[in-house]
């Protein structure tokens, strides 16, 4: 690879690491952004991109490694300090305080309103009135104002984190013009995006992260989307497939969950069904509407169009309790959300059970205990910390959330990223459990952010992109095929 | 791979929208949405003042003085809790702090001259600022919600007041009374003090970076942090400012009653009144919205209610009950309206 002719290094990271508790988000990443570069940072979900950006912008502190800006060590206590050192960042969620006017927001960061207005005029948005309350301005324009505010500080390094993800085309083009201007002025841009076409068209360099390591740096135009996808996956892509266990062929039965033309939040025009005895996987990049799909199915969020049917009967859930009483239950990714953290395990399990077996009057403690002991044994939950649910390990907590529904009984199980942050041994137990549940005639819809899981557990894989289903893959699909579908690099992939 | 000159694989493009700029609102619309509520409260107050004036044969200095001096401490207290509510917190101890400062200053001011009383007033206000800042600091450092910290301290303060005063007592200099709340029929001193508190304290603060930070912390802590606001320090400063208004209210109470009254129930009653004034004055209970002029006007509205009912010939006990019901309705309806607004 020939060294491209660009300017001096501006931001340089060596061996940067960061852990959140037991989870190692960044193991050791190296990255160098030079002047005159639009540098893309790429990686699959959980590769460590956002953690890295948080370190560079001062949202979280660095654990190990070195970070330098223009040769000086860089250590920020909060994102604001970056402004003084020539780093300005714009995030997907605009950092404008909703209840203040734009002018007051500028005052908060010490930005000059005249310069912000001048930057907006350069982008052709001079008509925006800065005296408006931020919350009265549509979100895409808030992002542009946020960008203008960042530019008003004349940053040497401009960090754009998923800013184009929810921008309409014409506004995104304005962002690219800003990037080009930065490059022309011999400054730099660090650009994070899931849209590979944007990276190839507008970035002069890219660095790929995988599992908390830097795996490659190259000129995106030279490799194209194929090379980027291959780097994100790495050579181990096929190794993981050896874990594929023999699985009994399933014979799907009755349709338990049927979704027709469903729309809710970001999700729209969803059509799929889940039948008894099958596990349907759902994969997507971050922020493609998966949250809305699960919130709507579980009854937490209303549908704006379409219908959900359970065993042929239409479900009009106003409340999670409605979906539960019709036999569809959710295991959320945030386990503590579902459990009673300070209460004994027994109580965490029996909470939904109580709602089901008895509405009034006392419970039969013997009966309750018998049911609970049954599921605890079946899931081999380590109950040594039985005093409080929160003391359990993540894996045992997740088993607990499944256990409670086993005790209560259900037809359709919704799993949202059930193995996030769980060790590999417990993961396998959960995979087996999910397969077992399906084999015993339950229907399971499982969203996963780990592609390996999509190979291991589901009978078929649905791909969600920009709020709607774009492909159906077989469980034998390679990770490359899945990523291509998730990124919309579709070349006639079909189930 | 790089040899294939195929066009970049097409990613389905986002809908080709020509994004239209939001229609700019006119100055009038902005004024309506931001200050409409304030205008409504001011109009209500004017109506009630005329109503009250029509009830009494003479509406002169004495009657006006009853209203201004009688409402001064409630108005200050509304500001005390208002600044904390704007940051998204809740200071349960404002009423107790006033009781404590009232007793503390009345204890020291007994049989003293004007100059000594003024020095004691300044000392008492400083004490209130320091104590409040400590409450805020405890909450920020320990992570215990401020409502719990201030609730606990609100039980302690009247106890200390009782300890130093030993029962209703204390006193102050008549000159001090004249200076703070005016003589028998002089409504101006209390009015001027209130205007000064707003003009010299609240207006400069709300226009400073710290003032914007108060709103930012209450509106969105995440956005405030990203904008470089030190959230913890802002909350502590908000408590210090709250303590300043509490201290002023406590000293005013001493001047108005010329004594100290160490009863916890007084503090609770003041707290409910102040919350009602804040809610009626357009401050959102979840933080980030509102100002101080609205609560001050609302404090006058609330304290006019019993006077008007008395003028109508309603039995005083009934009047108290009706007032209690009005307070509860104001807080509930205000809270409900704000919930709807925040969802929309």
């Amino acid at each position: 690879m020939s060294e491209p002719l660009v300017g001096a290094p501006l931001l340089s990271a060596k061996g940067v690491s960061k852990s959140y508790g037991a989870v190692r988000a960044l193991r050791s990443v190296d990255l160098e952004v030079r002047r005159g570069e639009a540098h893309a940072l790429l990686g699959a979900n959980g590769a460590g991109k956002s953690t890295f950006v948080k370190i560079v912008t001062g949202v979280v502190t660095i654990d190990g490694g070195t970070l330098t800006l223009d040769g000086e060590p860089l250590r920020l206590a909060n994102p604001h300090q970056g402004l003084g050192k020539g780093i300005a960042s714009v995030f997907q969620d605009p950092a404008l305080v909703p209840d203040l006017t734009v002018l007051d927001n500028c005052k908060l960061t010490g930005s000059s309103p005249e310069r912000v207005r001048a930057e907006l005029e350069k982008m052709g948005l001079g008509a925006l009135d800065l005296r408006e309350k931020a919350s009265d301005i549509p979100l895409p324009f808030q992002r542009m104002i946020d960008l203008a505010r960042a530019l008003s500080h004349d940053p040497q390094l401009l960090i754009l984190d998923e800013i184009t993800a929810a921008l309409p085309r014409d506004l995104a083009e304005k962002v690219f013009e800003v990037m080009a201007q930065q490059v022309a002025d011999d400054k730099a841009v660090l650009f994070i995006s899931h849209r590979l076409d944007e990276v190839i068209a507008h970035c002069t360099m890219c660095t790929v992260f995988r599992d908390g390591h830097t795996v490659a740096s190259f000129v995106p135009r030279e490799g194209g989307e194929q090379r980027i996808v291959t780097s994100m996956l790495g050579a181990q892509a096929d190794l993981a497939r050896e874990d594929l266990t023999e699985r009994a062929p399933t014979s799907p039965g009755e349709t338990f969950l049927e979704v027709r033309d469903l729309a809710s939040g970001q999700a729209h025009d969803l059509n799929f069904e889940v039948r008894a005895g099958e596990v349907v996987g759902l994969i997507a990049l971050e922020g493609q509407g998966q949250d809305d799909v699960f919130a709507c199915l579980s009854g937490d969020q209303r549908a704006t169009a379409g219908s959900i049917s359970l065993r042929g009967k239409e479900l009009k859930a106003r409340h999670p309790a409605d979906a539960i009483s019709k036999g569809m239950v959710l295991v959320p990714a945030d386990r503590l959300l579902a459990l009673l953290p300070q209460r004994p395990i027994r109580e965490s399990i029996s909470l939904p059970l109580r709602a089901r077996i008895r509405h009034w009057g006392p419970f039969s403690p013997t009966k309750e205990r018998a049911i609970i002991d049954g599921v605890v044994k079946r899931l081999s939950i380590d109950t040594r910390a039985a005093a409080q649910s929160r003391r359990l390990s993540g894996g045992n907590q997740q088993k607990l959330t499944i256990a409670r529904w086993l005790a209560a009984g259900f037809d359709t199980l919704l799993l949202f990223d059930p193995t996030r942050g769980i060790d590999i041994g417990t993961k396998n137990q959960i995979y087996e459990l999910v397969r077992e549940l399906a084999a015993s005639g339950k229907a399971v819809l499982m969203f996963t952010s780990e592609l390996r899981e999509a190979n291991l557990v589901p009978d078929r894989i649905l791909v969600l992109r920009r709020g709607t289903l774009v492909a159906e893959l077989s469980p034998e699909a390679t990770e490359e095929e899945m990523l291509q579908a998730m990124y919309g690099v579709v070349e006639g992939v079909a189930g | 791979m790089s040899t294939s000159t195929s066009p970049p694989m097409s990613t389905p493009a986002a809908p080709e929208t020509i994004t239209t700029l939001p229609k700019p609102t006119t100055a009038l619309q902005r004024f309506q949405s931001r200050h409409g509520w304030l205008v409504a409260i001011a109009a209500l107050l004017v109506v009630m003042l005329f109503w009250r004036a029509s009830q009494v044969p003479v509406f002169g200095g004495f009657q006006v003085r009853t209203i201004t001096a009688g409402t001064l401490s409630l108005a200050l207290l509304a500001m005390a809790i208002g600044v904390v509510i704007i940051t998204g917190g809740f200071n349960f101890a404002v009423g107790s702090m006033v009781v404590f400062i009232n007793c503390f200053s009345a204890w020291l001011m007994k049989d003293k001259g004007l100059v000594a009383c003024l020095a004691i007033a300044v000392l008492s206000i400083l004490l209130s600022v320091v104590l409040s800042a400590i409450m805020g600091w405890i909450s920020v450092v320990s992570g215990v919600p401020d409502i719990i910290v201030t609730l606990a301290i609100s039980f302690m303060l009247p106890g200390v007041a009782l300890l130093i005063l030993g029962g209703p007592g204390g006193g102050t200099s008549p000159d001090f009374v004249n200076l703070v709340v005016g003589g028998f029929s002089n409504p101006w001193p209390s009015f001027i003090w209130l205007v000064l508190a707003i003009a010299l304290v609240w207006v400069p603060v709300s226009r400073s970076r710290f003032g914007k930070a108060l709103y930012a912390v209450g509106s969105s802590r995440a956005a405030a942090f990203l904008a470089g606001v030190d959230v913890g320090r802002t909350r502590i400063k908000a408590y210090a400012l709250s303590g300043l208004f509490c201290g002023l209210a406590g000293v005013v109470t001493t001047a108005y009653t010329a004594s100290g009254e160490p009863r916890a129930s007084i503090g609770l009653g003041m707290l409910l009144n102040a919350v009602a004034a804040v809610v009626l004055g357009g401050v959102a209970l979840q933080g980030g919205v509102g100002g101080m002029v609205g609560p001050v006007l609302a404090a006058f509205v609330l304290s006019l209610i019993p006077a008007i009912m008395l003028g109508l010939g309603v039995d005083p006990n009934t009047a108290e009950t009706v007032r209690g019901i009005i307070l509860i309705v104001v807080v509930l309806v205000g809270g409900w309206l704000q919930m709807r607004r925040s969802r929309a």
Side-chain angles (χ1 to χ4, degrees), chain A residues 200-227:
Chain A
I200 290 173
H202 303 286
C203 292
T204 55
M205 194 67 191
C206 75
T207 295
V208 181
F209 282 4
R210 187 173 66 233
D211 295 331
H213 293 281
T214 301
V215 288
S217 277
F218 52 90
V219 177
R221 219 161 283 145
E222 286 173 4
E225 301 195 9
Q226 286 293 353
R227 175 159 180 206

Side-chain angles (χ1 to χ4, degrees), chain A residues 107-108 132 170 222 466, chain B residues 2 12 19 25 34 207 209:
Chain A
K107 195 165 197 170
L108 207 58
E132 300 266 9
D170 52 344
E222 286 173 4
R466 295 192 179 161
Chain B
S2 54
T19 318
T25 51
R34 281 176 216 169
R207 296 195 173 177
R209 186 162 185 260

